[in-house]
Amino acid sequence: MRYVEEFRDPKAAKALLAEIARVTDEIGATKAKPVHIMEICGGHTHAIFRYGLDRLTPEGVEFIHGPGCPVCVLPMARVDECVQIAEQPDVIFTTFGDAMRVPGTKKSLLQAKADGADIRMVYSPLDALELARRNPDKEVVFFGLGFETTTPSTALSIQQAAAEGLTNFSVFCNHITVPPPIKVLLDDPHMVLDGFVGPGHVSMVIGTHPYDFIPEDYGKPIVVAGFEPLDLLQSVLMVLRQIRDGRAEVENQYSRVVPEHGNPVSIAAMEDVYEKRPSFAWRGLGEIDESGLRIRDKYAAFDTEAKMGIGYGAEVAREVEEPEGCACSQVMTGRIKPTGCPQYGTGCTPEMPLGALMVSSEGACAAYYQYGQRRPVETAE
Amino acid sequence: MCLGIPGQIVEITDETRLMAMADVSGVKREVSIAPVLGAGMKPADVIGEYALIHVGFAMALIDEHEAAETLKALEGLGEAQETLDAMAEGAKALEGQA
Ligand code: SF4
């Protein structure tokens, strides 16, 4: 028996791990024939590696790391467009810090900034709004990036800019949604997925019903989870119990934060400001139908694509190949582990990322690299 | 960027824009409270409440215990400091080249 000192409640962790082991046995899952559970959210990926959950859970449980890390799925072409926008005169380009080191074909935003572009890291689109108010002679562009957790914040900021009549604020909208890539992965005949741990904070915004298709159309369980280590263990157990019992449902482990129908103000703001794009390109996954959002025509004055004719606002959205030797797409679809990539740790490190999965602590490669050498804190009893 | 951070709403700073001052681990930061104002709620109703704050927007009201637990989990992941750094970075950005 091993236990984990690092958990805030080691007793509870131990009990959950014992129960996970028991249910895994009941399912008959083994190292050779494991159950595959995908954690969709990059925050969960980070927590799993940080606490060594992949090693504390039985060998019959295999985690597949999902596409829920926004900077990891950002195509190089979009980074190039950011640089292109930022390098225009009289533009202040604002972005979350996470996006600064994502490699483009020529440079990252960090390199563009070093080369003299006015690029500023902000905490919130509200900071970008404030910059626009203070700099009426500049065009302030906010790089709208992320899933449904960050999407409402840009929608509300655009509504605010419209209410104030700001004319020098726009959003380069690259917001994406969680359910479509899950559908793509479930449709992929090479993928074996037996259940999902669903993203808690995305669900805080959209509720739990957008996942109904997972049990209904694919017969797979999904449990919406918080990101504390005990939340994750409990959610894994809930998924395993569903598998054992032959059930497939959407369950909500994180009900203390996630309401069934999400956040009505955020949903209304997103409805008002955005519409689905016919398709959007994901790094490693390719074009996915209805997976990206664009700003509706009534807010065109706040849409960088429309204002500058760039990205999907141009005739055709540019496509670029992934860098030579990068196995991001295989890692992204769970075909290989990060360590299986020839560039891992040599041509690609968190300091000098080649692929996007190495950029953010939510990326599978960076999480592997950061915690890979480390054993979970465990002691033989 | 996706995990958010708990903070306590301490005062309303702008009634019309629905902005409030939040105390996030001892750091004061202006946030939007629009998402947590349910039907029929006034800004003053959330003073003293804890909220999960995502990129400057209070997205869900949580209780004090949940706020403390969440903060501990974020500290474990190194995300609490990262978020506070991002807030400081955002404040610098307003002044000039950051
Ligand atoms: S190690 Fe780097 S190049 Fe290889 S898959 Fe990971 S991020 Fe991509």
Side-chain angles (χ1 to χ4, degrees):
Chain A
M1 191 74 193
R2 51 194 194 173
Y3 66 88
V4 191
E5 287 166 349
E6 212 185 346
F7 284 81
R8 245 173 302 117
D9 188 348
K11 259 234 234 40
K14 204 169 147 187
L16 280 168
L17 283 165
E19 187 59 14
I20 286 172
R22 205 173 62 83
V23 179
T24 307
D25 273 348
E26 284 171 355
I27 295 170
T30 58
K31 186 178 182 179
K33 217 177 139 286
V35 280
H36 296 89
I37 299 180
M38 172 174 276
E39 87 281 359
I40 297 169
C41 164
H44 285 157
T45 304
H46 184 187
I48 285 169
F49 285 106
R50 165 69 182 80
Y51 289 97
L53 301 187
D54 56 323
R55 287 179 248 190
L56 287 167
T57 46
E59 288 183 323
V61 174
E62 190 167 335
F63 289 103
I64 310 284
H65 315 301
C69 157
V71 301
C72 300
V73 296
L74 186 68
M76 281 195 151
R78 300 291 91 73
V79 179
D80 290 348
E81 286 152 6
C82 287
V83 170
Q84 197 187 331
I85 296 167
E87 288 184 339
Q88 294 188 30
D90 295 324
V91 164
I92 301 177
F93 190 87
T94 59
T95 174
F96 295 133
D98 310 50
M100 290 294 283
R101 287 183 309 122
V102 185
T105 45
K106 291 198 197 69
K107 47 178 134 173
S108 65
L109 282 166
L110 197 64
Q111 288 156 331
K113 185 178 162 68
D115 292 347
D118 192 348
I119 298 173
R120 305 193 197 182
M121 279 185 266
V122 292
Y123 162 64
S124 165
L126 295 170
D127 298 334
L129 263 186
E130 185 56 29
L131 268 170
R133 292 184 195 112
R134 293 189 193 184
N135 298 276
D137 52 335
K138 302 263 188 191
E139 172 75 11
V140 176
V141 176
F142 177 72
F143 182 30
L145 169 74
F147 291 99
E148 289 91 333
T149 14
T150 53
T151 309
S153 63
T154 32
L156 289 158
S157 301
I158 287 173
Q159 287 178 327
Q160 181 63 41
E164 290 177 36
L166 285 176
T167 55
N168 65 328
F169 172 79
S170 64
V171 172
F172 184 42
C173 178
N174 283 273
H175 286 296
I176 45 180
T177 56
V178 164
I182 304 306
K183 203 168 170 309
V184 166
L185 293 170
L186 280 165
D187 282 331
D188 183 341
H190 301 289
M191 292 290 293
V192 190
L193 294 170
D194 300 302
F196 294 88
V197 170
H201 288 170
V202 162
S203 310
M204 172 182 74
V205 173
I206 62 173
T208 59
H209 288 296
Y211 309 119
D212 287 348
F213 74 96
I214 297 176
E216 282 168 13
D217 300 345
Y218 294 91
K220 310 285 183 193
I222 172 164
V223 177
V224 173
F227 61 91
E228 294 176 37
L230 290 181
D231 287 332
L232 274 166
L233 287 180
Q234 169 136 44
S235 302
V236 168
L237 177 59
M238 288 165 78
V239 172
L240 289 169
R241 282 185 176 145
Q242 285 200 41
I243 295 171
R244 178 197 63 191
D245 303 344
R247 286 180 293 128
E249 295 162 25
V250 180
E251 288 183 303
N252 185 0
Q253 183 273 337
Y254 199 33
S255 59
R256 60 190 198 275
V257 170
V258 173
E260 185 187 342
H261 295 288
N263 182 288
V265 175
S266 299
I267 292 172
M270 291 194 291
E271 251 314 293
D272 178 46
V273 173
Y274 304 115
E275 63 192 8
K276 285 180 185 148
R277 298 178 191 272
S279 91
F280 193 76
W282 294 57
R283 194 186 286 224
L285 298 174
E287 289 279 341
I288 302 179
D289 288 349
E290 303 199 332
S291 64
L293 299 172
R294 67 177 291 273
I295 296 169
R296 288 186 192 273
D297 289 342
K298 68 169 173 170
Y299 289 109
F302 306 95
D303 181 358
T304 311
E305 288 185 357
K307 265 181 153 169
M308 299 190 180
I310 212 163
Y312 284 72
E315 290 286 289
V316 270
R318 276 182 61 225
E319 275 183 56
V320 275
E321 290 295 309
E322 285 177 45
E324 190 84 26
C326 157
C328 285
S329 65
Q330 281 152 281
V331 174
M332 191 91 75
T333 47
R335 284 179 176 81
I336 61 166
K337 296 281 171 203
T339 41
C341 171
Q343 300 292 337
Y344 177 86
T346 51
C348 185
T349 62
E351 290 72 38
M352 289 288 284
L354 175 69
L357 293 172
M358 202 48 114
V359 172
S360 143
S361 55
E362 296 181 0
C365 294
Y368 244 76
Y369 193 83
Q370 195 178 354
Y371 301 113
Q373 313 306 340
R374 201 172 133 183
R375 307 284 309 160
V377 186
E378 56 185 77
T379 323
E381 234 175 7
Chain B
M1 156 180 147
C2 297
L3 292 185
I5 192 161
Q8 187 180 25
I9 310 294
V10 290
E11 82 175 285
I12 306 301
T13 50
D14 189 331
E15 284 264 352
T16 2
R17 287 185 194 158
L18 302 178
M19 298 295 289
M21 196 56 79
D23 181 326
V24 180
S25 280
V27 173
K28 292 279 184 348
R29 161 78 210 196
E30 202 178 25
V31 301
S32 164
I33 51 169
V36 291
L37 291 184
M41 279 171 76
K42 294 187 299 300
D45 296 344
V46 296
I47 295 176
E49 298 277 347
Y50 288 84
L52 259 185
I53 296 165
H54 281 257
V55 298
F57 289 76
M59 296 300 300
L61 294 178
I62 52 179
D63 65 31
E64 189 175 351
H65 173 74
E66 176 64 20
E69 293 292 299
T70 303
L71 192 60
K72 277 190 238 159
L74 287 168
E75 279 162 1
L77 290 174
E79 297 267 352
Q81 196 52 47
E82 220 170 86
T83 307
L84 293 174
D85 291 347
M87 285 181 185
E89 209 53 69
K92 261 203 314 189
L94 295 181
E95 301 310 330
Q97 278 280 7

